[in-house]
């Protein structure tokens, strides 16, 4: 029986930027209050299907119910850790695996609750030579960025199957929306992606899943995304931090019951570009199980299997 590294052990082997440098640029973290008494919170998002709880909390008034006025900011995945660490935004929804080691190294961020499981995949051409993880040895894999969650997930699953991601894989970076084109043109042999790209690719009928965070037995019980918050802001504004967390968890619960409505509203309000039906399909397949204890468990070392 294989005894692969646990999730936390693997993540702790990845390099991170200097915590000393990132911690040297801090802003005043006292929450502003509006004239009508709402606490201001800066929320970051990227425009992904699985961020629907954020979008619903904004559009359906869940933040205001909790006494929060949100200032939203779209942030690139490769910049998200630095922006939230330095206080450019206060809160967002991000994959756990992207933050564990940086937090241990001193990143100024706290996880407050788990939101959902699933949403990351490695895909290859349907009917091609790559049907299992071991087939990726010596191949080119397209990712939306080095250090992004799709890249980390691909690294994890490669290591689990005894493929060295450092020496036996050629990594190539493309914008998320161009990964499918890169695969079709033969510039890569496989791609690692997140929603809605994964569902869009599956709907095209041109790819098959090689690894799926939401389905594969090794990962299916893991929380993918949790609520991440600037730690200094959370500590100085505990009331605002708790209120914002409750609003997002309510948004996640609403999405779990109303995936079609959430998918349509996410697109109508311009948070992401996707086909409403495919977006609804992707949302319906994601296990939204919002809870504080789920987020806590997601950050613990996992038992070897």
């Amino acid at each position: 029986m294989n005894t692969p590294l646990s999730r936390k052990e693997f993540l702790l082997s990845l390099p991170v930027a200097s915590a000393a440098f990132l911690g040297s640029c801090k802003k005043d973290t006292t929450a502003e209050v509006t004239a009508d008494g709402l606490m201001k919170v800066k929320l970051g998002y990227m425009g992904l299907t699985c961020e629907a709880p954020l979008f619903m909390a904004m559009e359906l008034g869940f933040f205001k119910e909790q006494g929060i006025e949100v200032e939203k900011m779209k942030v690139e995945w490769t910049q998200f850790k630095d922006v939230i660490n330095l206080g450019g935004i206060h809160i967002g929804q991000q994959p756990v695996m992207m933050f564990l080691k940086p937090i241990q190294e001193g990143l100024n961020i706290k996880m407050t609750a788990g939101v959902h499981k699933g949403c990351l995949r490695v895909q290859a051409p349907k009917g091609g030579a790559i049907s299992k993880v071991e087939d990726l040895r010596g191949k080119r894999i397209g990712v939306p960025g080095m250090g992004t969650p799709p890249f980390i997930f691909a690294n994890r699953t490669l290591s689990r199957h005894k493929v060295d991601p450092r020496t036996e894989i050629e990594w190539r970076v493309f914008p998320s929306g161009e990964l499918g084109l890169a695969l079709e043109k033969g510039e890569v042999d496989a791609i690692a992606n997140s929603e809605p790209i994964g569902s869009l690719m599956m709907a095209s009928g041109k790819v098959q899943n090689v690894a799926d965070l939401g389905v594969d037995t090794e990962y299916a019980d893991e929380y993918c995304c949790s609520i991440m918050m600037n730690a200094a802001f959370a500590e100085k504004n505990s009331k605002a931090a708790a209120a914002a967390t409750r609003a997002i968890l309510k948004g996640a619960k609403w999405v779990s019951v109303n995936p079609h409505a959430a998918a349509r509203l996410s697109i109508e309000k311009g948070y992401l570009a996707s086909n409403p039906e495919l977006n609804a399909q992707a949302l319906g397949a994601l296990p939204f199980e919002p809870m504080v204890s789920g987020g806590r468990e997601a950050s613990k070392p996992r038992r070897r299997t």
Side-chain angles (χ1 to χ4, degrees):
M1 180 180 297
N2 290 341
T3 55
L5 292 177
S6 70
R7 175 171 61 161
K8 193 165 188 178
E9 288 170 330
F10 173 75
L11 291 172
L12 294 181
S13 71
L14 294 175
V16 294
S18 168
F21 170 77
L22 293 176
S24 66
C25 307
K26 297 184 184 286
K27 299 180 179 179
D28 179 38
T29 55
T30 303
E32 297 181 42
V33 179
T34 67
D36 51 357
L38 298 178
M39 297 172 287
K40 289 186 176 182
V41 174
K42 297 177 183 178
L43 181 145
Y45 75 99
M46 295 177 298
L48 301 178
T49 292
C50 68
E51 292 177 306
L54 305 182
F55 311 148
M56 297 307 103
M58 286 187 279
E59 297 300 328
L60 300 177
F62 299 156
F63 280 115
K64 286 197 172 180
E65 287 177 3
Q66 295 292 332
I68 298 294
E69 180 177 287
V70 167
E71 178 184 340
K72 60 186 178 182
M73 178 189 300
K74 192 167 185 180
V75 182
E76 293 296 325
W77 221 343
T78 53
Q79 300 171 338
F80 210 100
K81 284 201 300 287
D82 289 352
V83 175
I84 194 170
N85 175 67
L86 298 176
I89 56 176
H90 300 140
I91 192 169
Q93 176 186 308
Q94 287 283 295
V96 175
M97 65 179 69
M98 183 176 170
F99 280 79
L100 284 180
K101 186 185 179 185
I103 288 173
Q104 187 192 55
E105 294 290 327
L107 200 71
N108 187 40
I109 292 171
K110 288 185 179 294
M111 300 182 196
T112 63
V115 179
H116 70 84
K117 303 174 183 179
C119 95
L120 300 173
R121 292 170 173 159
V122 178
Q123 298 176 320
K126 190 173 183 178
I130 300 173
S131 61
K132 59 184 184 298
V133 176
E134 290 82 359
D135 296 334
L136 292 166
R137 182 175 281 108
K139 299 297 193 294
R140 303 161 298 170
I141 301 179
V143 293
M146 306 298 280
T148 60
F151 170 79
I152 295 172
F153 174 61
N155 270 257
R156 285 184 62 201
T157 196
L158 288 164
S159 295
R160 179 179 286 274
H161 290 268
K162 308 302 183 183
V163 180
D164 191 331
R166 296 165 297 183
T167 62
E168 296 185 292
I169 297 295
E170 180 181 342
W171 300 99
R172 296 195 175 181
V173 175
F174 296 88
S176 293
E178 297 178 16
L179 285 169
L181 182 61
L183 187 65
E184 187 175 340
K185 292 170 63 176
E187 296 178 5
V188 293
D189 304 298
I191 54 176
N193 56 42
S194 60
E195 296 292 11
I197 303 301
S199 288
L200 290 171
M201 293 298 299
M202 288 298 290
S204 74
K206 297 178 180 179
V207 302
Q208 58 192 4
N209 290 336
V210 180
D212 189 328
L213 183 66
V215 174
D216 296 351
T217 55
E218 304 99 318
Y219 315 111
D221 64 336
E222 291 184 12
Y223 269 81
C224 176
C225 287
S226 290
I227 298 170
M228 303 292 176
M229 189 170 292
N230 176 277
F233 179 86
E235 290 165 3
K236 199 164 188 177
N237 307 278
S238 58
K239 183 178 178 181
T245 296
R246 287 194 297 269
I248 296 172
L249 293 181
K250 185 173 181 178
K253 185 65 176 178
W254 196 91
V255 171
S256 72
V257 178
N258 305 281
H260 284 81
R264 185 178 63 253
L265 194 57
S266 296
I267 294 169
E268 288 176 354
K269 295 298 182 178
Y271 291 106
L272 69 156
S274 178
N275 176 293
E277 288 305 313
L278 289 177
N279 194 38
Q281 178 181 331
L283 275 179
L286 287 176
F288 283 93
E289 300 176 17
M291 65 179 74
V292 173
S293 60
R296 185 180 300 115
E297 289 299 315
S299 66
K300 292 181 179 179
R302 302 183 63 81
R303 183 172 58 86
R304 293 171 184 262
T305 57

